[in-house]
Amino acid sequence: MAALGARRLLRPGRRWFSETLPGGPSPAASPLYPPVVASLTAKSKAAKSRRLQRFNQRVHAAATVEEKLRLYGKLQRPKYTVYPQTFALNADRWYRSFTKTVFVPGMPPRAAAAKPPAAAAGTTPEGGRAPEPGAEAPGAAEAPEVAKTVEPAAGAAPYLDMGELRSLACDALLQESFYQKKKRPFLYRDQDHTPGPFLTQLVSTLAALLSGRNPLLAASSLDLYPEVNYYWHHGEETVVHGHRKGRVDPVRFQIDDNPHLQIRVPKQLPEVVPLESDLGDVPVIDHKPSKLPLFKKQYENKVFIGSKVADPCCYGHTQFHLLPDKLKRERFIKERLEDQIEVVYRSNGIASLFAWTAAQAMYQGFWSEADVTRPFVSQAVVTDGKYFAFFCYQLNTLALTAETIKNNPRKNICWGTDSKPLYDVVEDGNVKGFNDEVLLQLVHFLLNRPKEL
Amino acid sequence: LFPGVRQAQWLTKTKLVEGLPPAVQGIMDNPAHGLQELEERAKRAVSHARLWDTAEVAPRREQYCPVLFENLIHICRLMSGKYPSLSKRMLARNCRIAATWERESILLQVRGLSGILMNSMTPIPPVASKEEILATKEHVLETFYPIAPTIDLQEVNVYKELNHTGQCFGDGYPYSHPHTLFFLESANVRTDRFRPEQLRAKMLMFAFGNALAKAKALHGNDPKVLEQPVVVQSIGTDGQLFQFMVFQLNTTDLVSNDGIKNLVWIDSDQSLYEKAQCVPEVKKRVVTKPAGIFGFQPDTFKKFLALYLHGTV
């Protein structure tokens, strides 16, 4: 018996005093013993939960956001790297399950409501102007004469001059593809040759032109080739091999994204639907993520929106993604995977926007144990130079870990369109088949702003 | 070898004037453009480029120099909300310039990648008055006797004399007037970068090349005095120091040493900020310098913006 053995050891050479002092009993309020809690270092479930609680308290008590981020990503373990631009089949379903996102086709209702004023106004001023250049072929020479801003009053419903915007877009396109003499594109780098510079030109000139309408754009910050990273846990698995075999670990994911262009603003975009709305179902996938295929790597756990926490422009507005040559449409058509073309756009939109909005939320101090109190909204445009797809994402919850997801009814929502061409073909200094709707949608994206402004 | 600008002056038959031309100064001093409020934005742009842009501790020059340039251009471009005619500008990157001319029986040529070029639909009006142009007749070009002025220039057998604005843009391009050239010295290693003097000389040569090619495109290949001088601006930077230059091509008659000369206004070595501290400097457990930008000079940004707005405002 252990107790008997202990007493035998105690007796030789040890005087055992009884310590009751005559001066009254100890104060009754404080407990005699320290609280009985689970051990910190034992290999037991109670000890593990106590360690987890201590970690959560440490992160909650962190003084600055940088400290919080540092503690959040301190422990490095093998994690799945999620690539937004991927050729994996049906990747968007998998990504929706990893990020608890509901996909709603089409654009959110507020964007649709804003369209009619511009469309109606688009026809009236254009009727007044003499030769409407016919939406298809502005040609570089005609554009300057016709593109005059017709703005009766910058009042409640400012008219959008589609002619001017169209000529700007066509000029950018023609400059990059036709007028500027460039060398031949590098092997498999076609996207850097023409569509990349075209996108940069288009967005920068459009944003500058529309900054008069949208004061949020006037205070914005434009990043070229920024880096966006996010690290999160979702679900649980048992470690398969190694010295940690048999332990239950959260499944870790990391997104490292490089959008082509992004616009960051100092004020947040307004919410599209209330925080607790339920617009659909999140797909549940029973397989391990490595079946996608997704591979594990262990490296730094970064959370980054494009600039550090000290930057005043800490909310995101719009991202622009350019699809690489590997994922071009012709390749999918050749391999008879036409339905996967839209999947590429969707998975890029969902993954990149989730990473961006979640990183923005972390910059504000929210994390999986301290869920967001207001929704974070951002937009993205995914393109391959000719076809444009628009996405709008609302982050309602960051709580995706195994414990926090149990009682969490909230879901993130992503609205997205199919990819539509902006133009048909560029020939001899003319842009044929220019699609105004795509340009209008892009303009609406750029004009999006909080209601107070 | 030589202070490069002097050599470039001789090669391009140019007279140097210190400081920026009065037209640009006028834009700077005009309070209607709201340059004061933009100071805050410019400071934030510098902080973003130098401090916040990377997930590492401090960005390197190869990263922060282009980012700083993009941020400043973004602020300038946002002015087109106020002045809609500013949207008639287009940036062209990686365009190649080629221009040839004769200088006292030596055939000279400028070729190469000329950085980033901004084109506009309308040309910049001439900056110098007619009297100033005529006064350059009396100006004598500095010679470097006994050193030949073509020292340090590469002698090449040229088989085709090319004279296109960068050979870059086809016919019917609407933004046909070169407005400003931007040079970014962004190499990480200091020896790979141009020194300020050499950078100014490079800016002068390329501005001259662009102006000459444009003049020949407009008025033909014969050497003559231009009725409408062609003005091309140029800005060069290494991320901290800025060199501003306005070049006016008055004549394409470059063979002889006398007659009307071209004019160039140079404002050199304008620093935008003194120091960018990424990590607070701590000496003996006391923070001596907190992190941030020190010694921000708003005037340099005002000059940048004034050169951008020049020609449209």
Side-chain angles (χ1 to χ4, degrees):
Chain A
M1 297 273 282
L4 233 43
R7 214 164 281 142
R8 255 198 227 117
L9 282 172
L10 266 180
R11 224 184 282 137
R14 182 71 69 111
R15 293 292 211 65
W16 200 49
F17 296 97
S18 89
E19 295 240 337
T20 42
L21 292 168
S26 43
S30 70
L32 283 176
Y33 296 99
V36 178
V37 283
S39 143
L40 262 183
T41 48
K43 192 178 172 184
S44 64
K45 289 204 184 74
K48 185 167 166 131
S49 71
R50 185 159 172 235
R51 284 195 293 267
L52 212 53
Q53 269 173 29
R54 272 172 67 104
F55 170 72
N56 292 344
Q57 269 165 15
R58 258 183 95 190
V59 180
H60 277 298
T64 60
V65 175
E66 285 104 340
E67 181 63 22
K68 219 179 249 205
L69 289 176
R70 191 188 72 88
L71 287 174
Y72 178 76
K74 194 158 92 121
L75 182 60
Q76 280 189 22
R77 284 272 151 79
K79 57 191 175 178
Y80 287 110
T81 29
V82 175
Y83 293 98
Q85 293 177 336
T86 170
F87 48 76
L89 300 182
N90 291 325
D92 70 323
R93 258 194 98 226
W94 289 80
Y95 289 179
R96 269 184 287 152
S97 82
F98 296 153
T99 63
K100 205 179 179 193
T101 311
V102 171
F103 185 77
V104 178
M107 273 287 112
R110 53 144 183 100
K115 270 193 190 180
T123 45
T124 14
E126 278 166 19
R129 250 185 295 122
E132 234 277 3
E136 306 81 45
E142 295 178 40
E145 290 95 77
V146 191
K148 297 265 179 302
T149 324
V150 177
E151 269 194 44
Y159 300 129
L160 281 173
D161 190 354
M162 281 311 298
E164 180 166 2
L165 298 167
R166 199 187 306 129
S167 70
L168 250 167
C170 292
D171 281 340
L173 188 54
L174 287 169
Q175 173 182 325
E176 291 308 327
S177 48
F178 185 69
Y179 284 123
Q180 186 167 357
K181 303 251 174 14
K182 302 181 190 177
K183 296 163 95 167
R184 276 178 53 183
F186 198 73
L187 186 63
Y188 300 131
R189 293 257 187 276
D190 278 322
Q191 296 295 86
D192 294 337
H193 187 251
T194 308
F198 161 58
L199 193 60
T200 324
Q201 282 283 13
L202 178 68
V203 174
S204 37
T205 36
L206 271 185
L209 193 64
L210 295 172
S211 64
R213 305 270 177 114
N214 188 356
L216 197 62
L217 275 185
S220 66
S221 171
L222 191 75
D223 299 333
L224 284 187
Y225 307 104
E227 213 185 310
V228 173
N229 308 324
Y230 186 60
Y231 167 75
W232 79 103
H233 296 178
H234 177 70
E236 272 186 342
E237 62 172 3
T238 359
V239 181
V240 165
H241 66 279
H243 68 279
R244 301 184 71 233
K245 179 173 172 173
R247 296 180 210 195
V248 173
D249 248 5
V251 182
R252 292 166 281 261
F253 297 91
Q254 166 92 37
I255 291 186
D256 293 319
D257 187 22
N258 286 309
H260 186 82
L261 199 66
Q262 87 184 8
I263 302 180
R264 279 175 302 113
V265 287
K267 292 207 178 59
Q268 200 176 345
L269 287 177
E271 64 174 30
V272 184
V273 288
L275 192 58
E276 304 281 346
S277 13
D278 187 356
L279 294 181
D281 285 321
V282 180
V284 174
I285 300 187
D286 292 326
H287 301 283
K288 278 180 75 162
S290 54
K291 291 249 187 251
L292 174 58
L294 222 50
F295 298 99
K296 279 197 175 182
K297 243 187 347 178
Q298 176 174 323
Y299 57 103
E300 195 193 340
N301 301 329
K302 279 211 277 202
V303 176
F304 194 60
I305 65 166
S307 72
K308 293 189 186 154
V309 186
D311 198 333
C313 289
C314 51
Y315 295 104
H317 191 268
T318 319
Q319 266 183 344
F320 291 85
H321 296 266
L322 192 64
L323 291 180
D325 263 340
K326 260 206 301 207
L327 303 173
K328 56 185 181 189
R329 293 176 98 92
E330 294 84 23
R331 196 168 156 262
F332 282 105
I333 294 173
K334 206 162 58 152
E335 294 174 13
R336 289 184 293 182
L337 290 168
E338 287 90 357
D339 45 338
Q340 297 296 320
I341 297 180
E342 292 305 322
V343 165
V344 168
Y345 288 88
R346 276 203 296 264
S347 59
N348 196 356
I350 293 177
S352 308
L353 280 175
F354 171 74
W356 205 26
T357 45
Q360 287 167 44
M362 287 211 79
Y363 270 34
Q364 301 304 311
F366 301 109
W367 57 298
S368 41
E369 301 291 326
D371 211 354
V372 295
T373 50
R374 57 184 194 274
F376 282 77
V377 173
S378 289
Q379 301 167 137
V381 177
V382 183
T383 171
D384 71 342
K386 190 168 156 192
Y387 289 83
F388 284 70
F390 299 91
F391 296 92
C392 178
Y393 196 92
Q394 171 161 330
L395 184 87
N396 291 326
T397 174
L398 272 182
L400 301 169
T401 59
E403 300 88 41
T404 49
I405 210 174
K406 279 184 211 144
N407 301 325
N408 189 10
R410 300 191 205 164
K411 300 172 192 166
N412 304 319
I413 311 171
C414 180
W415 288 266
T417 64
D418 281 343
S419 56
K420 295 197 190 73
L422 181 65
Y423 58 93
D424 275 340
V425 73
V426 176
E427 253 178 29
D428 291 340
N430 281 330
V431 178
K432 298 217 162 62
F434 196 87
N435 188 352
D436 273 350
E437 285 174 19
V438 174
L439 188 60
L440 200 58
Q441 180 67 271
L442 182 61
V443 166
H444 277 294
F445 261 29
L446 287 173
L447 285 180
N448 198 3
R449 59 187 176 283
K451 295 193 184 41
E452 313 78 65
L453 288 182
Chain B
L1 179 68
F2 246 108
V5 180
R6 283 161 57 192
Q7 181 178 16
Q9 274 180 267
W10 189 91
L11 290 173
T12 58
K13 199 172 167 190
T14 312
K15 175 176 168 200
L16 171 68
V17 180
E18 290 288 336
L20 288 176
V24 179
Q25 282 285 342
I27 300 181
M28 265 177 68
D29 299 329
N30 189 352
H33 300 309
L35 293 181
Q36 290 301 117
E37 300 93 46
L38 292 178
E39 261 183 57
E40 180 57 43
R41 316 261 328 269
K43 197 159 179 193
R44 223 187 293 159
V46 173
S47 309
H48 171 252
R50 280 306 299 264
L51 305 173
W52 303 325
D53 185 46
T54 169
E56 299 143 24
V57 176
R60 293 159 304 141
R61 197 181 290 262
E62 271 165 354
Q63 200 180 350
Y64 74 68
C65 190
V67 170
L68 178 61
F69 167 71
E70 291 296 331
N71 287 346
L72 293 177
I73 285 282
H74 183 58
I75 300 179
C76 294
R77 248 197 309 248
L78 288 177
M79 297 285 282
S80 59
K82 223 160 130 186
Y83 305 105
S85 44
L86 272 183
S87 62
K88 307 268 181 286
R89 301 261 184 100
M90 203 58 93
L91 270 181
R93 292 162 204 264
N94 296 331
C95 51
R96 315 187 133 258
I97 171 65
T100 349
W101 69 101
E102 264 210 38
R103 194 74 186 86
E104 276 200 1
S105 75
I106 312 168
L107 191 63
L108 298 164
Q109 195 179 64
V110 161
R111 285 248 195 145
L113 288 176
S114 79
I116 307 175
L117 172 64
M118 184 162 71
N119 293 310
S120 81
M121 282 193 186
T122 49
I124 311 179
V127 185
S129 57
K130 288 261 184 294
E131 299 81 32
E132 283 180 17
I133 302 178
L134 288 174
T136 57
K137 261 194 190 164
E138 282 80 56
H139 175 79
V140 173
L141 282 177
E142 225 181 310
T143 50
F144 315 110
Y145 190 80
I147 304 179
T150 50
I151 196 170
D152 282 344
L153 293 181
Q154 200 182 15
E155 198 177 299
V156 168
N157 284 329
V158 174
Y159 300 106
K160 263 196 290 194
E161 290 182 13
L162 286 176
N163 254 313
H164 309 262
T165 347
Q167 234 263 307
C168 243
F169 302 108
D171 299 322
Y173 183 52
Y175 301 91
S176 54
H177 297 271
H179 186 272
T180 316
L181 282 162
F182 299 97
F183 294 93
L184 304 178
E185 294 297 317
S186 50
N188 265 338
V189 182
R190 186 158 52 91
T191 39
D192 287 342
R193 294 198 291 271
F194 274 69
R195 287 197 304 275
E197 182 66 36
Q198 296 168 332
L199 180 60
R200 287 197 286 275
K202 177 164 104 157
M203 283 158 62
L204 179 52
M205 298 305 287
F206 277 112
F208 172 77
N210 269 306
L212 188 66
K214 183 72 205 157
K216 291 199 176 171
L218 281 179
H219 304 291
N221 267 338
D222 310 320
K224 60 175 180 230
V225 175
L226 298 175
E227 278 303 317
Q228 281 290 83
V230 176
V231 179
V232 173
Q233 300 174 146
S234 180
I235 302 182
T237 175
D238 67 350
Q240 188 168 354
L241 282 178
F242 280 76
Q243 329 280 344
F244 301 106
M245 175 185 296
V246 181
F247 178 79
Q248 174 167 326
L249 186 76
N250 295 320
T251 168
T252 48
D253 174 19
L254 300 159
V255 181
S256 61
N257 246 337
D258 27 291
I260 295 202
K261 319 262 180 328
N262 306 314
L263 284 164
V264 69
W265 290 259
I266 298 190
D267 206 1
S268 45
D269 292 334
Q270 307 288 313
S271 78
L272 187 57
Y273 53 93
E274 288 294 327
K275 190 163 164 53
Q277 194 81 19
C278 294
V279 186
E281 190 179 307
V282 180
K283 287 230 159 85
K284 294 190 188 165
R285 308 262 189 100
V286 171
V287 176
T288 41
K289 269 199 198 165
I293 303 281
F294 291 94
F296 180 69
Q297 303 278 353
D299 287 331
T300 317
F301 175 67
K302 281 193 199 157
K303 289 182 189 164
F304 188 96
L305 185 56
L307 281 180
Y308 184 88
L309 294 173
H310 188 209
T312 349
V313 170

